[in-house]
Amino acid sequence: MTGELRCPLCSFCAPPTVVPLPCPECTIPIGYRRDLPLDLLPSDLTGEGVWRYAPLLPDVEPVALGEGDTPLVSSVRIGPQLGVDLWFKVEGANPSGSFKDRGASVMVSVLRSFGAKAVTDDSSGNAGAALAAYAARAGLRAVLYVPAHASGPKLSQISALGADVVRVPGPRERAADAVREACRTDPILLYASHNVSPYFVSGLTTLAYELFEGLGGRPPDHVVVPVGGGGLFLGVVYGFLRLRGLGWIEHIPQVHIVQPAACAPIVCARAAGGVAPFEREPSSTIAEGARIPNPPRGREIVAMLKAVGGEAVAVGEEEILNAQRLLSHTEGLYVEPTSALPAAALAQLVARGTICEMSTVAMVLTGTGLKTVPS
Ligand SMILES: [Zn+2]
């Protein structure tokens, strides 16, 4: 595989490895970069979905299930009411029901190319379901470590896809510790972390490419995304940066972050002028996918948010529920609560003047509502 691993914050770089270590200087997760094919033109792209952008992804044999190429739907109510040209990227249409399939497809493809036989991660949510699906497709064993109290449709999906589920007592963080311990004792088992793997983020850059193509060969003025681990935000930002590097676009959209007020480490770090996000007292939230108090890529997210002139907004539980209802009732889009975070923040971003009237805004609806536990 060509390309290199490169620290997002310093000059450290290294050849690609199967499970890359953090940057030895900054102790943060590393990124993957492949040289841009500078003679590539939009008209050279062929095929559909994530692997349509193969010249911009790791050069490996794809493990694919038809991921990507999700609908880009124009808003008929929410956008017109706020005076913006609003578009929804409906990521629940991916094979396992969320945007995580983009990352899992590329990450599992890379791991298989290195000869992986078994993969593991700590997730009882969409990332776990995506890993289970692509591991099954690739013929790899998957082991998912989940908190002992985990339940619901996502966990059922993980089991149904043939992954081994290991329940870990104690707080959420224990599941991650258990994964690391399992990888130490079983060298066959590879840590395929959706929050850390550079190949996972590489797969998420395809969202930017699809937004560019879906809007007729132009970027939106703004993109609004929910943030938990932040891979989605980073993928979108890096995707647009690469399009600018290719000379396909002149300006990078402003990419804005939305978090639940119950757990908003990036919003807090931004407000305090800090660089290392950490939520000391996270409380429970219906936006379960965004409850990550100490995101491993936090410093990178804060740096890139500054670089693209994005805002970070926190929204309350009532606002999230109302936004989920609004998307369902007025747009016909049934998404999970985490996916409703951008819709919950849009009015605030317009009222502040961050998003001006007539702007083109893309909102990433990260996952289907069908996996939501009924309240
Ligand atoms: Zn570094």
Side-chain angles (χ1 to χ4, degrees):
M1 192 174 93
T2 59
E4 64 178 10
L5 301 172
R6 196 184 300 170
C7 175
L9 298 185
C10 79
S11 57
F12 176 81
C13 59
T17 50
V18 61
V19 180
L21 296 170
C23 170
E25 289 296 317
C26 311
T27 65
I28 60 165
I30 206 112
Y32 169 81
R33 296 288 178 278
R34 180 180 174 186
D35 283 346
L36 280 176
L38 291 173
D39 53 351
L40 187 75
L41 298 170
S43 56
D44 295 332
L45 298 171
T46 56
E48 291 179 345
V50 162
W51 295 95
R52 174 175 171 76
Y53 309 101
L56 302 167
L57 298 173
D59 49 336
V60 292
E61 188 63 32
V63 177
L65 285 167
E67 55 292 322
D69 202 21
T70 53
L72 183 63
V73 181
S74 67
S75 167
V76 290
R77 301 273 179 335
I78 299 173
Q81 274 167 12
L82 292 170
V84 297
D85 176 28
L86 177 62
W87 296 80
F88 302 110
K89 188 68 171 154
V90 188
E91 288 292 288
N94 277 299
S96 85
S98 85
F99 76 101
K100 297 271 166 70
D101 288 348
R102 297 175 185 273
S105 175
V106 172
M107 178 177 68
V108 170
S109 301
V110 170
L111 293 176
R112 188 178 69 171
S113 79
F114 277 105
K117 297 282 183 284
V119 291
T120 184
D121 193 7
D122 50 298
S123 167
S124 56
N126 285 325
L131 180 64
Y134 286 86
R137 183 73 173 182
L140 308 182
R141 180 175 163 235
V143 186
L144 271 301
Y145 285 78
V146 306
H149 53 79
S151 65
K154 290 172 183 166
L155 193 60
S156 305
Q157 186 186 15
I158 291 169
S159 296
L161 285 161
D164 296 337
V165 172
V166 181
R167 293 179 175 277
V168 183
R172 169 76 181 77
E173 299 72 40
R174 292 273 168 78
D177 296 340
V179 170
R180 281 187 282 271
E181 182 57 28
C183 292
R184 266 194 294 273
T185 53
D186 181 358
I188 301 293
L189 204 53
L190 298 177
Y191 193 3
S193 169
H194 64 285
N195 281 324
V196 171
S197 169
Y199 312 120
F200 197 94
V201 175
S202 180
L204 300 179
T205 59
T206 57
L207 257 165
Y209 310 148
E210 286 188 15
L211 288 175
F212 163 79
E213 286 206 290
L215 291 171
R218 66 183 172 96
D221 301 309
H222 302 267
V223 185
V224 192
V225 297
V227 164
L232 171 61
F233 167 78
L234 293 170
V236 168
V237 168
Y238 292 142
F240 281 113
L241 285 171
R242 287 175 74 76
L243 290 181
R244 190 177 65 180
L246 286 166
W248 294 8
I249 62 173
E250 284 181 30
H251 303 291
I252 305 292
Q254 280 179 274
V255 186
H256 309 292
I257 280 173
V258 189
Q259 299 196 292
C263 183
I266 307 294
V267 179
C268 296
R270 192 77 194 280
V275 294
F278 182 59
E279 175 75 61
R280 284 181 201 287
E281 292 177 5
S283 35
S284 67
T285 170
I286 52 169
E288 56 180 12
R291 193 178 184 281
I292 300 185
N294 188 12
R297 293 188 180 274
R299 286 168 59 193
E300 183 183 0
I301 296 165
V302 171
M304 294 315 297
L305 190 61
K306 195 173 172 192
V308 298
E311 284 289 329
V313 177
V315 289
E317 297 297 293
E318 205 52 42
E319 291 174 285
I320 301 168
L321 269 177
N322 287 340
Q324 186 192 25
R325 206 172 298 127
L326 196 64
L327 284 164
S328 295
H329 291 199
T330 72
E331 302 279 2
L333 294 164
Y334 181 40
V335 299
E336 63 180 349
T338 307
S339 305
L341 285 168
L346 186 62
Q348 204 183 130
L349 287 163
V350 172
R352 285 182 187 187
T354 304
I355 294 179
C356 302
E357 284 193 18
M358 310 297 285
S359 300
T360 300
V361 182
M363 201 173 267
V364 181
L365 303 181
T366 48
T368 176
L370 295 173
K371 294 195 249 178
T372 307
V373 178
S375 52

